[in-house]
Amino acid sequence: VTRPAVGDAARGPGQDRPGTDEPRHSAAGPARRHRSMPANTEHAPSAPSAATDELVNDLFRAHALGLIRVALLLVGDQQSAEDVVQDAFLGLCRALPRIRDQAKALPYLRTSVINGARSVLRARKRARLRRVQHEPPVWSAESAAMAGEDRRAVLGAVARLPRRSREVLALRYYLDLPDTEIAAALGISRGTVSSTASRALTALARDLQEGQ
Amino acid sequence: VNTLEDRLRDAYQAAAQTVRPETIRGPRDQAGQVARPPLLAGYRARSRRARVLIPLAAAATVALITVAASAVIPQISAGPQRGAPVMPAATRRSLFGTRPPGAPPAYFVGLPGAGAGLGVYNAATGQIVARLRPPERGLHFSATAATADGRTFVVAASGRKGSCDTLLYRLRLNAGGQPGALTPLAVPEVAGHLITPTSLAASADGRTIAYASARCGGSNSAPGHAGVIDLATRQVRTWVITLSEGLMSLSLSGAGRTLAFTEATALGGDGTARVLSTDSPAGLLAQRARAVLPAALQAQAVALSPAGNVLLACTWRGTSPPYSAALAAYQTATGHLIGVLHTWQDVHVSPCMISADPSGSYLLVTDIFRRDIGAQIDLATGRLAAVPGRTGNPPVGISW
């Protein structure tokens, strides 16, 4: 009912890797990241200029809603999705001075959101072991936020797919990203994107057929 | 595979559209768009010294607020779970037992789950006695509402290809619970999809219908709004939803003059319960509706008594398991607690849903333990009778 217990766990997705334009693909656990944040802050580069500040503003206005929606498709609930996106922007603020090509800011955010979503899901997995409940996903019958029985069935089947398959499908069929950009966002090869999507669709078709 | 890809795209769009600019937490700019949160805006200005001082100041502020809140909160949210008296039998009888004693409705309707259409349930056994398919291919049922005779319901359906509108139908059950044909209501189509399966309510005679719909179809489409339809005159009065919440658990008084709803935390709201006079002039819902129960009470579901003077609410307490929940009665006019009708301990996270029967003497509660469909509560006596059902799959959008 209330904010999921994993809220804090969503902090700090996609921490930047010093000296690169890419956020780290395998985000550390939330507790470890929390502990490392003061050190990172201490060694953070100088504050962004007004121009980069304006860039973050523009990016937020233009892409925050879309990124929250993508995060929602990955984590299932809006509050966690908002946390993930806010943290992605925080990571961007820290990384901007080191991002040499500003056109890479949006891909950076996308990757951060995916990493953040992974952190949330990992934290939930741990929380489930302690029998901590979290907000039901928007496509569940309990949530009642989304209309459409077929849509619930489809997204329910997607939720049963492996993590990478879910990410590939969301980026391909919600964001309509080309395979090259999906590959960049997930840190995998284009061929892997293609084969993962193919396997995911096959599994999805089988699952939905069996469910009928 | 193409069909599957289309279904996938459609499902992703539908899920993504549940996030709307007005439901996102945080500040807005002058154009009303989501603005960069202060947390981000403040990042640039922070010096190293500030990075040290700000957390200290924040910690001090939190400590101050905690001390202040510990003194104030018990008074404003006298929590039904903490020290509030269970309603005396005499009060119960005077509030809920004034009508001639009778049995609760024999059937209720609900949405059993994905692809399952609409179910008619035996209210005593929880068994589905009849299923109804949507009236057109592509449509799906999205919400239900009951009228006072216990056999007539209003049903909403949406999902027609290329349309964001919601269609309303009348459904009648016979004495054995078997549904007749769906009759389209002669009202203007509702713009947008209903926000939840509890976003529909009907007056006792079924002549007044209330709904809450979300924007659907991009920024040029009609904004999310709450609406009240007078079937006799076909007049529709609407109020724009600008609150950062998903309206849930709509309930009309018997005469259809008062509409109650919650801003459920499950949908991003803060848990405030409000009432709206249905003859309020059109405008912003936030300005027209009056808060009855504060957010501190975390109202997840509400139901108005037939006279509209009593608001039943399912409230929650706790930020981590085990949660406790209470069903309590409040004065609609003042928000004062009349008394607690029932409490639950160690409940799960999903919100309970409640539906009052037409006499206002019985309540159907679902989703409390998820072991059964829910329970019937005789409000006059406090007796609770479990409604068994399939474990873990309670219907949504119940009405009786």
Side-chain angles (χ1 to χ4, degrees), chain B residues 190-231:
Chain B
V190 172
H193 290 167
L194 299 195
I195 295 173
T196 72
T198 57
S199 299
L200 190 67
S203 62
D205 61 5
R207 285 178 46 168
T208 306
I209 297 167
Y211 65 88
S213 75
R215 181 194 291 274
C216 168
S219 56
N220 292 328
S221 58
H225 64 280
V228 171
I229 304 171
D230 184 333
L231 286 184

Side-chain angles (χ1 to χ4, degrees), chain B residues 346-370:
Chain B
D346 193 19
V347 291
H348 291 202
V349 291
S350 61
C352 70
M353 288 181 267
I354 55 180
S355 177
D357 86 317
S359 73
S361 303
Y362 295 90
L363 205 67
L364 191 62
V365 185
T366 59
D367 237 356
I368 284 291
F369 290 109
R370 295 197 202 180

Side-chain angles (χ1 to χ4, degrees), chain A residues 70 73-74 114 154-155 157-177 179 182 186 188 192-205 208, chain B residues 1 4-5 8-9 11-13:
Chain A
V70 175
L73 298 179
L74 297 175
I114 290 165
V154 170
L155 291 183
V158 170
R160 290 188 284 275
L161 294 173
R163 187 203 71 201
R164 183 182 285 173
S165 298
R166 296 196 304 269
E167 292 167 354
V168 167
L169 291 183
L171 296 179
R172 190 189 247 196
Y173 294 107
Y174 177 64
L175 285 186
D176 281 329
L177 291 184
D179 284 359
I182 296 173
L186 298 181
I188 56 179
T192 305
V193 171
S194 190
S195 60
T196 302
S198 175
R199 277 198 303 271
L201 287 174
T202 306
L204 205 55
L208 289 170
Chain B
V1 173
L4 178 59
E5 289 177 327
L8 198 50
R9 284 197 173 91
Y12 277 145
Q13 284 295 338

Side-chain angles (χ1 to χ4, degrees), chain A residues 1-3 5 41-45 47-50 52-54 56-57 60-61 64-65 68-70 72-73 78-80 82-83 86-87 89-90 93-94 131-136 138-139 141-155 158 165-166 169-170 172-174 176 200-202 204-205 208 212, chain B residues 1 4-5 7-21 23-25 29 33-37 39-41 43-44 46 48 51 111 113-118 134 140-142 158-159 193-197 248 265-269 298 300 316 318-321 323 348-351 367 370 392-394 396:
Chain A
V1 171
T2 52
R3 186 186 177 88
T41 308
E42 200 62 26
H43 295 101
S49 67
T52 55
D53 191 47
E54 191 54 37
V56 175
N57 273 337
F60 196 89
R61 273 196 294 270
L65 178 62
I68 290 171
R69 286 172 168 169
V70 175
L72 174 91
L73 298 179
Q78 184 172 337
Q79 287 192 344
S80 300
E82 289 180 27
D83 287 345
Q86 171 139 322
D87 288 340
F89 273 92
L90 275 173
C93 287
R94 285 192 291 268
R131 301 190 177 189
V132 176
Q133 300 281 336
H134 62 81
E135 204 79 21
V138 288
W139 49 83
E142 296 97 314
S143 163
M146 190 184 77
E149 292 154 12
D150 183 62
R151 293 162 174 166
R152 288 180 194 280
V154 170
L155 291 183
V158 170
S165 298
R166 296 196 304 269
L169 291 183
R172 190 189 247 196
Y173 294 107
Y174 177 64
D176 281 329
L201 287 174
T202 306
L204 205 55
L208 289 170
Q212 283 175 353
Chain B
V1 173
L4 178 59
E5 289 177 327
R7 288 169 71 190
L8 198 50
R9 284 197 173 91
D10 173 65
Y12 277 145
Q13 284 295 338
Q17 289 296 325
T18 62
V19 179
R20 303 184 307 279
T23 67
I24 295 176
R25 293 167 291 167
D29 61 18
Q33 291 184 320
V34 180
R36 186 180 174 182
L39 181 58
L40 291 179
Y43 179 82
R44 178 178 162 259
R46 283 187 197 179
R48 180 173 295 187
R51 285 199 296 269
L111 308 178
L118 183 144
H140 60 265
F141 293 116
S142 51
S158 56
H193 290 167
L194 299 195
I195 295 173
T196 72
M248 195 165 163
T265 52
L267 296 179
Q298 295 280 295
Q300 295 299 314
W316 290 75
T319 53
S320 61
Y323 299 102
H348 291 202
V349 291
S350 61
D367 237 356
R370 295 197 202 180
N393 190 25
V396 295

